[in-house]
Amino acid sequence: MKVKSSFLLCMAIVACAALAGVANASILFSEGFDSSAADVKVNKSADSVVTYVDYSNMTVGSTNFSIAEAPNMVSGSAATRGVLLQVNNSGEPGATGAPAAVNILAGNTPINFSGSYAVSYDVYMSSSNPGGTGSTLQTLFGLGTDDSGVLEASFNRTGVGSTVGTWGWLTNENGAGTEDVAINMNATELADLGDTNVDDIAAGVSPGVFNQAFAATSLGTLNHSAALQWVHVDLRINQGNVKLLFNGVPFFPNAKDPVISSLADSGFALLGLEDRFASISDEPDLSWALYDNFVVTAIPEPSTALLLGLASLGLASCGRRRK
């Protein structure tokens, strides 16, 4: 009887911990971009285009593309459906070659998230052929942002406009010098990395993380870049500390920047695309990015993680006692 009581107690602990884990690690928002009815709000510059596509058979300009399914398919969404973003598009009214961007916020009426949570999505960024003069594009990500207009690094990093939140970018072909990846709090840069930046190499961070996170492509870049492949972007805030990963590889914090802290957690979740430079690509058919599987997930509080650990120990103990 004593063995049975101990076993029931162990199982009760496991059940409580499991329920707590489900409650605290829940999905707060998910969108697969199957159609224009997607539950998002779009803010964009005049010279930009947003199109919902089947990217297994997609035509941009006069060029056809067939892109494989993104690796983190949202439950219940359609295969190879996503949203195509183009910026600095010379075919659009008002095209001037000035920097341009598109922001997509979670929720048609943007949802306010707070506490500890993760914002993630899959992105496939195209790029010009080797030797081409296409403009450098960068995918944008953010949390704790506002809805006061289009967030653009070319403006908001200089104090023009009212930037709120923790946000940053990743370039498609490592074309931003020391800032191929950057993370910012409001208008202040928290940290950046360049794939060939001397200081980042000396710190033992670059080009290692670029080559770990991204596959080699036909672009001929010195180190691996994010272009021409699916990249899983994962921005997390946990008790005020920020973590940024690409394809599961941590870029921040790192040996150079051991702690990245932010004051912004309450606000909107954002993804987007930007051309930060005042130029129009001579290869517009190759200047775009695809997005899929936009998800916001709660991060379990430390007490829950501890409880889950206790559950594991309890389960092991249960197994031993039943013997």
Side-chain angles (χ1 to χ4, degrees), residues 16-103:
C16 289
L19 289 172
V22 170
N24 284 275
S26 59
I27 293 175
L28 305 176
F29 169 86
S30 67
E31 177 55 62
F33 297 117
D34 290 350
S35 72
S36 58
D39 183 20
V40 295
K41 181 180 181 183
V42 176
N43 294 328
K44 65 188 186 73
S45 304
D47 191 16
S48 58
V49 180
V50 177
T51 312
Y52 292 86
V53 297
D54 176 355
Y55 50 79
S56 68
N57 184 17
M58 174 183 75
T59 300
V60 181
S62 59
T63 306
N64 184 261
F65 299 90
S66 179
I67 309 297
E69 171 63 39
N72 298 281
M73 190 173 179
V74 167
S75 177
S77 67
T80 67
R81 299 292 304 187
V83 62
L84 174 74
L85 304 187
Q86 297 167 275
V87 292
N88 244 348
N89 188 326
S90 59
E92 280 298 291
T96 63
V102 176
N103 298 165

Side-chain angles (χ1 to χ4, degrees), residues 92-273:
E92 280 298 291
T96 63
V102 176
N103 298 165
I104 294 180
L105 304 179
N108 187 266
T109 299
I111 302 167
N112 191 296
F113 302 100
S114 62
S116 295
Y117 59 100
V119 177
S120 66
Y121 60 88
D122 293 327
V123 59
Y124 186 107
M125 291 186 281
S126 184
S127 185
S128 298
N129 293 312
T133 57
S135 188
T136 297
L137 301 177
Q138 53 195 35
T139 184
L140 300 170
F141 44 82
L143 54 78
T145 67
D146 62 9
D147 186 24
S148 61
V150 183
L151 189 155
E152 298 182 55
S154 53
F155 296 119
N156 298 100
R157 272 275 299 275
T158 62
V160 178
S162 57
T163 307
V164 173
T166 302
W167 62 282
W169 66 79
L170 166 68
T171 64
N172 59 339
E173 34 73 299
N174 296 345
T178 63
E179 295 185 328
D180 293 316
V181 180
I183 192 163
N184 309 273
M185 171 60 192
N186 296 342
T188 301
E189 182 180 280
L190 299 176
D192 63 37
L193 286 176
D195 80 308
T196 58
N197 184 35
V198 173
D199 292 338
D200 297 334
I201 293 171
V205 180
S206 179
V209 290
F210 289 86
N211 292 335
Q212 291 170 39
F214 311 125
T217 64
S218 59
L219 291 179
T221 54
L222 182 61
N223 294 300
H224 298 176
S225 65
L228 305 183
Q229 62 198 283
W230 282 110
V231 174
H232 187 62
V233 178
D234 186 355
L235 176 65
R236 306 175 186 178
I237 186 163
N238 191 356
Q239 296 187 314
N241 292 322
V242 174
K243 190 171 187 178
L244 175 64
L245 306 92
F246 299 116
N247 288 336
V249 176
F251 275 58
F252 303 119
N254 55 47
K256 180 186 174 189
D257 299 290
V259 178
I260 304 294
S261 296
S262 169
L263 298 177
D265 63 352
S266 181
F268 307 137
L270 172 149
L271 63 78
L273 181 69

Side-chain angles (χ1 to χ4, degrees), residues 4-29:
K4 183 177 180 181
S5 298
S6 298
F7 175 72
L8 291 174
L9 178 60
C10 288
M11 293 309 297
I13 293 172
V14 172
C16 289
L19 289 172
V22 170
N24 284 275
S26 59
I27 293 175
L28 305 176
F29 169 86

Side-chain angles (χ1 to χ4, degrees), residues 279-295:
S279 62
I280 293 178
S281 171
D282 69 343
E283 297 177 289
D285 290 9
L286 302 178
S287 298
W288 48 265
L290 279 170
Y291 291 82
D292 206 349
N293 308 319
F294 188 16
V295 178

